[in-house]
């Protein structure tokens, strides 16, 4: 008799009942002299004792600035030590840290500031072509809750820290003593079919345990040094990376503010990193560097690859040439903190490239008929659902949207089509929704479409993902022009998007059409657009 597509990740290690602050305290007490954080670009370093003190200073400064338990504190910055300090300081005082993608432009920033009700924003000064101060100034008048902005590396950051002395350590301890591990502590925005991002709201319990168990499955100890080129604004960086490290007394290594292949390899060599994270495109870029063979990567033993499937040949090279014999594949989504399935240290190449692993400890997964919700037999494709400690509290102030994805049994419906094999390993075979995954970044067509409708030369638009060798998928905009005699060019579309949309959401391909292919019920056949108009 065929087994049902249901699996419960078992394990002998219990869930953590700590808040993030209490868990950090344990690491500080156990490993005070071991390095906790290294920023390679600036050369700054913190032992666990120094890191704990810096977190406490910022926590007291935030309290002195009027940040109360439950207040939303935004962080809009590239990877830097201050990002990590904000993460742990907000957790210490029970504030809700709101991650803002550094690539966001004005209208995206304004939406998040308003929807989350952010009262204090910590921000970088610049990132690539973005002048953060100018962007904030441009939207601040429309965000009544925003009362303070502090720029990292600017005098305003020093002014924030200067007020820390007005709050005593005893007052900080009193605040922290009143916190629960089930309190909301983090909001991460993930786009949806409504066209605007939804704020996945996560607790201490959600993200601390997920980071901890990801680390457990790659056998982290205080001896490990984890190179993190993945962005902190995403769960990959701040949960699987930062919390995975501090919950084991390991060291966080920041190679650069944003991904640079050469900087990553140099950091691994210089800091003798034992673990390296990335999406497949990052590993491909590193392996293809002309100078790749000149770097000493012999200290590596493991790492995490996630975001999209890893080609077999790439995995072979990662294992053989980067010494990452124990590299692990993870699958998840922001709404599940993020990881639900993970390969194990002793899994063979086929499992690492053909599946996304099996259920993590304390996590349930099942594959159901999308129409009926009935659990299917193993080997049959259906919607992957996840249940357990990792499922988000809900979308911030959007109960209706929450009810669309979390059912009465607390199962999170991922929207991904999956097959559970007889051995319990899961294969992702497609997506129910039309999410485009470009280089590890989720792009939601409806959001891009809603924006392009504003273009004066566009009467109608459909956005789809088409296969791309470098990024996995690339963005194609299929457009019906307002005036067929004067259609927009690809350059017009790119320029229109450049100042308002994150770079990874900007269409790279354009097709001008007279009409879209339609179903008999009047819906656009996006599958036909992908098949007929992709490269």
């Amino acid at each position: 008799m065929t087994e049902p597509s249901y699996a419960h990740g078992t394990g002998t290690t219990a869930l953590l009942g700590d808040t993030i602050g209490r868990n950090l305290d344990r690491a500080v007490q156990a490993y005070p002299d071991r390095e906790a954080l290294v920023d390679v670009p600036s050369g700054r370093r913190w032992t666990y004792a120094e890191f704990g003190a810096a977190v406490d200073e910022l926590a007291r400064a935030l309290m002195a600035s009027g940040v109360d338990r439950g207040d939303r504190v935004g962080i809009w910055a590239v990877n830097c030590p201050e990002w990590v300090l904000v993460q742990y300081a907000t957790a210490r005082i029970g504030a809700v840290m709101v991650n803002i993608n550094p690539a966001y432009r004005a209208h995206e920033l304004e939406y998040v500031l308003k929807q989350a009700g952010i009262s204090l924003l910590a921000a970088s000064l610049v990132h690539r072509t973005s002048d953060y101060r100018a962007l904030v100034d441009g939207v601040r008048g429309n965000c009544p809750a925003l009362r303070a902005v502090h720029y990292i590396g600017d005098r305003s950051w020093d002014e924030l820290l200067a007020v820390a002395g007005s709050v005593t350590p005893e007052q900080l301890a009193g605040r922290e003593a009143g916190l629960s591990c089930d309190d909301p502590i983090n909001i991460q925005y993930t786009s949806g079919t409504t066209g605007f991002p939804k704020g996945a709201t996560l607790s201490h319990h959600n993200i601390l345990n997920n980071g901890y168990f990801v680390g457990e499955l790659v056998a982290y100890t205080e001896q490990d040094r984890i190179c993190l080129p993945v962005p902190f604004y995403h769960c990959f960086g701040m949960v699987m990376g930062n919390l995975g490290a501090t919950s084991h007394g390991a060291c966080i290594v920041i190679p650069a503010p944003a991904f640079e292949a050469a900087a990553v390899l140099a950091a691994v060599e210089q800091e003798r990193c034992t673990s390296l994270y990335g999406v497949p495109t990052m590993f491909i870029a590193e392996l293809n560097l002309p100078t790749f063979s000149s770097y000493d990567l012999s200290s590596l033993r493991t790492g995490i690859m996630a975001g999209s499937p890893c080609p077999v040949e790439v995995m072979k090279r990662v294992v053989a040439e980067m010494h990452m014999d124990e590299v692990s594949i993870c699958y998840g989504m922001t709404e599940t903190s993020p990881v639900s399935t993970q390969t194990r240290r002793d899994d063979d190449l086929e499992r690492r490239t053909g599946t996304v692993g099996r259920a993590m400890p304390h996590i349930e997964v099942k594959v159901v008929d999308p129409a009926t919700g009935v659990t299917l037999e193993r080997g049959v494709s259906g919607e992957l659902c996840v249940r357990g400690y990792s499922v988000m509290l809900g979308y911030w102030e959007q109960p209706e949207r929450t009810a669309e994805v979390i059912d009465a049994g607390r199962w999170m419906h991922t929207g991904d089509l999956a097959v559970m094999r007889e051995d319990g390993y899961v294969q992702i075979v497609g997506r129910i929704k039309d999410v485009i995954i470009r280089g590890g970044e989720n792009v939601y067509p409806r959001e891009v479409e809603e924006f392009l409708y504003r273009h004066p030369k566009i009467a109608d638009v459909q956005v789809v993902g088409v296969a791309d060798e470098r990024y996995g998928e690339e963005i194609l905009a299929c457009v019906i022009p307002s005036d067929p005699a004067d259609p927009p060019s690809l350059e017009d579309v790119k320029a229109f998007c450049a100042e308002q949309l994150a770079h990874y959401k900007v269409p790279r391909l354009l097709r001008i059409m007279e009409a879209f292919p339609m179903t008999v019920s009047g819906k656009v056949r996006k599958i036909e657009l992908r098949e007929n108009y992709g490269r």
Side-chain angles (χ1 to χ4, degrees):
M1 181 177 176
T2 305
E3 291 292 316
S5 293
Y6 169 88
H8 172 212
T10 59
T12 57
T13 303
L15 288 167
L16 303 176
D18 288 340
T19 60
I20 290 168
R22 282 178 57 84
N23 188 261
L24 178 61
D25 286 340
R26 296 181 192 280
V28 170
Q29 292 166 11
Y31 314 110
D33 298 324
R34 295 201 68 85
E35 284 191 328
L37 177 63
V38 174
D39 183 48
V40 174
S42 68
R44 292 181 289 169
R45 297 172 181 270
W46 290 259
T47 63
Y48 265 94
E50 292 165 342
F51 180 68
V55 167
D56 285 359
E57 178 189 31
L58 180 54
R60 289 186 289 113
L62 291 171
M63 286 179 64
S65 299
V67 177
D68 292 327
R69 176 180 177 178
D71 284 356
R72 274 75 67 206
V73 173
I75 175 71
W76 190 34
V78 294
N79 285 15
C80 62
E82 287 79 8
W83 207 111
V84 186
L85 293 173
V86 169
Q87 176 181 348
Y88 288 84
T90 50
R92 274 228 187 277
I93 65 172
V96 180
M97 182 179 71
V98 183
N99 302 11
I100 305 175
N101 190 327
Y104 272 7
R105 307 300 291 175
H107 95 285
E108 298 157 314
L109 172 66
E110 180 180 335
Y111 173 79
V112 169
L113 290 172
K114 291 168 70 174
Q115 205 276 331
I118 291 171
S119 61
L120 184 147
L121 177 66
S124 293
L125 284 165
V126 294
H127 173 52
R128 294 184 173 142
T129 60
S130 296
D131 180 338
Y132 281 26
R133 195 192 301 270
L135 288 167
V136 171
D137 288 346
V139 303
R140 192 169 183 177
N142 298 325
C143 304
L146 184 61
R147 55 177 179 77
V149 183
H150 297 279
Y151 294 97
I152 296 165
D154 179 70
R155 184 176 63 184
S156 63
W157 190 258
D158 297 332
E159 291 170 349
L160 171 63
L161 294 177
V163 301
S166 61
V167 172
T168 66
E170 292 73 22
Q171 288 172 309
L172 173 58
R175 169 76 70 87
E176 195 167 15
L179 304 181
S180 163
C181 67
D182 293 318
D183 289 340
I185 206 65
N186 183 218
I187 297 175
Q188 300 200 28
Y189 277 87
T190 177
S191 296
T193 54
T194 58
F196 287 99
K198 303 185 295 288
T201 306
L202 306 170
S203 68
H204 295 267
H205 196 66
N206 288 149
I207 60 177
L208 175 58
N209 276 290
N210 204 258
Y212 175 68
F213 279 100
V214 167
E216 284 289 284
L217 292 185
V218 292
Y220 282 155
T221 72
E222 72 277 9
Q223 303 293 328
D224 281 293
R225 299 173 69 80
I226 307 167
C227 184
L228 295 179
V230 293
F232 289 152
Y233 75 82
H234 188 271
C235 277
F236 200 171
M238 67 159 284
V239 177
M240 300 156 68
N242 295 345
L243 289 169
T246 60
S247 60
H248 291 87
C251 181
I252 299 163
V253 177
I254 304 173
F259 177 70
E260 298 173 32
V264 172
L265 299 183
V268 169
E269 179 179 68
Q270 174 186 310
E271 298 298 326
R272 307 304 296 156
C273 293
T274 60
S275 176
L276 173 62
Y277 286 17
V279 298
T281 52
M282 291 180 176
F283 285 100
I284 291 168
E286 291 153 10
L287 289 163
N288 289 342
L289 271 179
T291 56
F292 173 78
S293 62
S294 68
Y295 294 96
D296 179 3
L297 308 179
S298 59
S299 59
L300 287 173
R301 69 167 181 87
T302 189
I304 304 288
M305 196 180 301
S308 54
C310 180
V312 175
E313 293 306 312
V314 174
M315 180 61 78
K316 287 180 179 177
R317 291 192 65 192
V318 166
V319 171
E321 299 174 40
M322 301 182 82
H323 309 283
M324 294 170 61
D325 294 340
E326 299 173 17
V327 64
S328 184
I329 301 297
C330 292
Y331 161 83
M333 60 193 305
T334 304
E335 291 89 338
T336 55
S337 301
V339 181
S340 300
T341 66
Q342 184 173 349
T343 59
R344 300 330 197 236
R345 296 168 67 195
D346 57 351
D347 280 341
D348 58 22
L349 186 67
E350 187 277 329
R351 285 194 172 104
R352 290 182 187 174
T353 57
T355 81
V356 290
R358 53 190 169 93
M360 290 188 70
H362 307 288
I363 297 292
E364 297 173 272
V365 296
K366 66 177 180 178
V367 178
V368 304
D369 183 319
T372 66
V374 174
T375 303
L376 299 167
E377 293 183 343
R378 295 198 179 191
V380 178
S381 173
E383 182 178 17
L384 183 65
C385 297
V386 177
R387 182 166 69 179
Y389 73 83
S390 65
V391 174
M392 66 174 179
L393 301 178
Y395 292 124
W396 183 259
E397 295 189 344
Q398 291 186 300
E400 298 84 5
R401 300 282 83 82
T402 303
E404 291 173 0
V405 296
I406 301 178
D407 66 24
R410 286 293 296 172
W411 285 97
M412 176 75 203
H413 290 250
T414 67
D416 284 319
L417 290 170
V419 173
M420 184 178 291
R421 307 193 317 187
E422 291 297 332
D423 60 6
Y425 281 73
V426 175
Q427 297 170 309
I428 303 298
V429 297
R431 293 185 297 282
I432 297 172
K433 301 169 186 175
D434 292 317
V435 182
I436 301 164
I437 302 180
R438 181 186 183 274
E441 292 279 5
N442 282 11
V443 180
Y444 295 80
R446 181 67 180 275
E447 184 182 3
V448 182
E449 289 163 1
E450 291 281 354
F451 183 75
L452 289 178
Y453 277 126
R454 304 179 192 179
H455 196 295
K457 291 187 176 183
I458 294 176
D460 202 356
V461 57
Q462 293 291 319
V463 170
V464 296
V466 296
D468 181 80
E469 185 174 344
R470 180 177 182 187
Y471 290 105
E473 286 186 296
E474 195 51 275
I475 301 169
L476 165 66
C478 298
V479 166
I480 297 175
S482 302
D483 179 359
D486 185 25
S489 67
L490 179 59
E491 289 68 31
D492 289 337
V493 171
K494 287 182 175 180
F496 185 73
C497 295
E499 293 304 313
Q500 296 291 322
L501 285 183
H503 65 88
Y504 61 84
K505 299 178 186 177
V506 177
R508 300 309 199 276
L509 302 167
L510 179 70
R511 294 289 183 272
I512 303 299
M513 306 179 67
E514 295 182 0
F516 298 132
M518 308 291 282
T519 66
V520 291
S521 61
K523 295 181 180 178
V524 176
R525 286 183 51 80
K526 286 200 170 188
I527 188 169
E528 197 169 315
L529 294 177
R530 282 192 290 268
E531 291 173 351
N532 295 344
Y533 297 98
R535 287 180 292 188

